[in-house]
Every structure is written in structure tokens, then in C-alpha cells.
Amino acid sequence: GGVWGHPQTLAPRLNAICQLLPALEPEMLARLSPDLLRFRTQTVQHKIELLADQLPGADIVRMATAWPSILARADDKLIARCQELLHLLPRRDMHKVIEEAPKLLTSTIDEIRLRASELMKCYSELNLTTMKRTYVAKMLSYPGSRLKRLSHVTRYQPRARIYHTPMELMYFMKERAFDERFKPRRHRYLSARKERVPKTIRKLIHAEELVGVRDAFQYGEQKLREWQAEVAAEPPMLPPPPTRDPRLNTKGEFSRRTRERERTHQKKVWKELKTTYRGHRDAVAPPQK
């Protein structure tokens, strides 16, 4: 029904839209945005002029060629989204960013704000200002769930941004790739830190302790020396058990008697280490009665 049942109306509209957008082929228009054929030629021309007024300096024909469905949106929605995107990030070339990603004009305002807030958590204002606009446009085109994972990695694993480009990180932010590459979560990361860092070093100086202190730096140095003395008095950490010689897994290289001798020696060394550790621990911190 409608225009689809009148070929004599459909063919002139298709030719008129192809004249307005010369780089857009009819097959591509029918595949990307067939609803655009429901509008008259004057309406499509009006929407192109409206976008040119809202985004001065942007190539509207290029945007409509890459994503024709933006011309099928209502005028009030196009104006609202253009105004929201122009003031979304601290950049002066936001009209060029929208030109690189015209798909942003089809997203909801709430989704656009969510993506911008998560992106500002990942990068500083200076980084967002100097970043390539193609990178900014692509990251704003990704769903908010990916940007949330990116903010998580940026906060708890900042080294990832050193070894990977923004686009590589966004590829890793897929749900499956994120779970495989950044498997340790926050609680696992802190538990690993607790195993490596002595407990006394993780103390904090509260503001109430600094009342009446003339020089906070000298007070901090004094506290640091006290904590280092406490750490030196603590018993040494128990070394990990010795790993088994990989050559013992091969057959024919060592005899059965040689393998038993190696196992006995490893057990003996491990037993001596545990005995030494227990003796040192009891000497430094005797058990309370």
C-alpha cells in the first residue's frame, strides 16, 4: 500500500533523492533507508537545509550518503540532538565529529549523555580535546555498556591505556573479550595486592592525628620510619614450594631411583624451610599465654 503500490510515484522520488545525494546508489538507499522514499522531494531538501543550519561547516551530503536514515527523522528531534551533540564534549569541532559518525543523530538523548559521561571518566579534558575526531566519533558510536567497561579498565588497570590504542581497547571491551583479557575484578586485584604488600604499610593517617602538628611532612616521615621498623621485625614471608624439575616428566631420561632421590631431596628442603620459618616466627612474636 501507499507509495509502494504506485511505481509511477516511486520512480521519480528515487531519481530525485539520487540527484540530491549523487554518491548514493539506488540499491544502497533501498537497503539502508527505504522509508526515505515515503517523503516528498521538497521534504528531503528541507531536512538537508535544516541540518546545514544546525551544523555549520559539516558536509551534510556526505553524512546523508553514509547514513540516509537521518533524513527520515522528525525536525524537532534533529534539532534537539544536534544541539545536544554540539555541547556534549569540550571540543570546538563537534560538528566534524558528528560528520564522522552521523549515526549519532539516530540515538536517543539519554544514551548520548550516558556515552559522554562514561567517556569523560576514561579521559581527561585535555585528552578529549587533542584526540583524533575519528576516535571520538567511533567511541561515541559504541553502546554505553562498552564504555562502562572501558572506564572500569581505565580506573583499575591504567597500564592498559599505555600498551593499546583507543580503538584496540574498544575492541577488547566486547563482553567476551573483556572477560577473557581483563578477568581479574576489583576484589581479586585488591586481594593480590594484600598478599604482596605488608599490612603495616597500608595504614592511613587520618586528619584527626594531624591536629597540633607543626610540620605534617616531618610527622609523615617519622611515621614511615616506625612502619618500616615494624615491617623489619615481622617474620619473612614463606617462599613458595619448589617447583618440580620438568625433566622428571620425561620417560627414559632418568631412572626410577633417580626420580625418587630428587623427590626426597625436595621434600627435605621444603621441610627445613618450614622449620626455619616457624622458629623465626616464634622468636620474633612469641605466642600469647
Side-chain angles (χ1 to χ4, degrees):
V3 70
W4 306 107
H6 298 275
Q8 63 275 13
T9 305
L10 189 63
R13 289 187 181 181
L14 182 61
N15 295 330
I17 293 176
C18 291
Q19 290 179 1
L20 293 174
L21 308 174
L24 183 62
E25 298 180 358
E27 295 81 5
M28 189 65 65
L29 174 62
R31 186 172 64 87
L32 294 178
S33 181
D35 293 340
L36 193 60
L37 297 174
R38 296 187 296 104
F39 297 93
R40 297 180 179 180
T41 308
Q42 296 81 359
T43 306
V44 177
Q45 179 67 29
H46 168 70
K47 292 181 182 295
I48 293 176
E49 295 175 355
L50 176 65
L51 287 174
D53 295 338
Q54 295 295 323
L55 304 173
D59 191 352
I60 307 300
V61 176
R62 179 191 173 196
M63 294 171 53
T65 303
W67 204 262
S69 60
I70 61 176
L71 300 178
R73 303 291 171 176
D75 294 351
D76 54 347
K77 291 185 178 180
L78 283 177
I79 294 174
R81 288 166 185 170
C82 287
Q83 294 299 324
E84 183 69 27
L85 287 169
L86 285 175
H87 304 88
L88 193 64
L89 296 175
R91 293 179 65 100
R92 296 182 179 180
D93 60 342
M94 283 302 296
H95 59 283
K96 290 294 184 180
V97 174
I98 302 173
E99 180 183 341
E100 294 290 340
K103 184 181 178 181
L104 295 174
L105 294 175
T106 61
S107 303
T108 60
I109 294 180
D110 295 337
E111 181 66 20
I112 292 172
R113 291 175 179 173
L114 173 63
R115 297 174 188 176
S117 62
E118 294 296 336
L119 196 61
M120 294 181 71
K121 292 179 184 177
C122 304
Y123 299 95
S124 64
E125 183 175 349
L126 180 61
N127 290 339
L128 289 176
T129 306
T130 57
M131 189 182 295
K132 294 181 180 180
R133 59 172 174 259
T134 54
Y135 287 175
V136 178
K138 287 183 180 180
M139 285 191 285
L140 285 176
S141 302
Y142 286 114
S145 57
R146 281 205 197 184
L147 293 173
K148 284 185 178 180
R149 299 188 192 109
L150 179 63
S151 62
H152 173 89
V153 171
T154 304
R155 182 175 182 182
Y156 297 111
Q157 298 188 10
R159 291 187 179 181
R161 282 175 51 186
I162 301 176
Y163 301 109
H164 302 288
T165 62
M167 289 299 98
E168 288 178 350
L169 280 177
M170 291 308 300
Y171 175 78
F172 295 147
M173 292 308 106
K174 293 181 180 179
E175 187 173 0
R176 182 176 179 180
F178 176 81
D179 293 338
E180 292 178 355
R181 197 172 190 89
F182 303 100
K183 197 171 183 180
R185 300 299 186 188
R186 182 181 178 184
H187 62 280
R188 297 184 182 179
Y189 177 72
L190 291 180
S191 63
R193 288 291 302 273
K194 287 180 182 178
E195 295 177 0
R196 296 195 303 268
V197 182
K199 188 174 181 181
T200 53
I201 291 296
R202 289 184 282 106
K203 292 183 179 179
L204 297 176
I205 301 178
H206 298 280
E208 293 79 4
E209 300 183 25
L210 298 177
V211 177
V213 178
R214 293 184 179 180
D215 192 344
F217 294 99
Q218 293 182 359
Y219 180 78
E221 292 177 356
Q222 179 183 356
K223 281 290 184 181
L224 180 61
R225 288 193 293 269
E226 294 178 1
W227 295 341
Q228 289 176 348
E230 294 179 9
V231 172
E234 289 184 358
M237 297 183 64
L238 186 65
T243 57
R244 187 176 177 181
D245 192 347
R247 296 178 300 175
L248 299 180
N249 297 328
T250 59
K251 296 182 179 180
E253 191 169 350
F254 287 93
S255 61
R256 180 180 59 82
R257 189 172 303 175
T258 305
R259 290 198 296 269
E260 291 179 357
R261 191 184 304 114
E262 291 287 339
R263 294 194 193 100
T264 306
H265 177 69
Q266 289 182 358
K267 290 181 181 179
K268 182 179 178 181
V269 172
W270 179 236
K271 187 175 180 181
E272 291 177 358
L273 286 174
K274 289 198 293 186
T275 306
T276 306
Y277 173 78
R278 289 172 183 171
H280 183 78
R281 182 189 60 185
D282 297 337
V284 175
Q288 300 180 359
K289 296 183 179 180

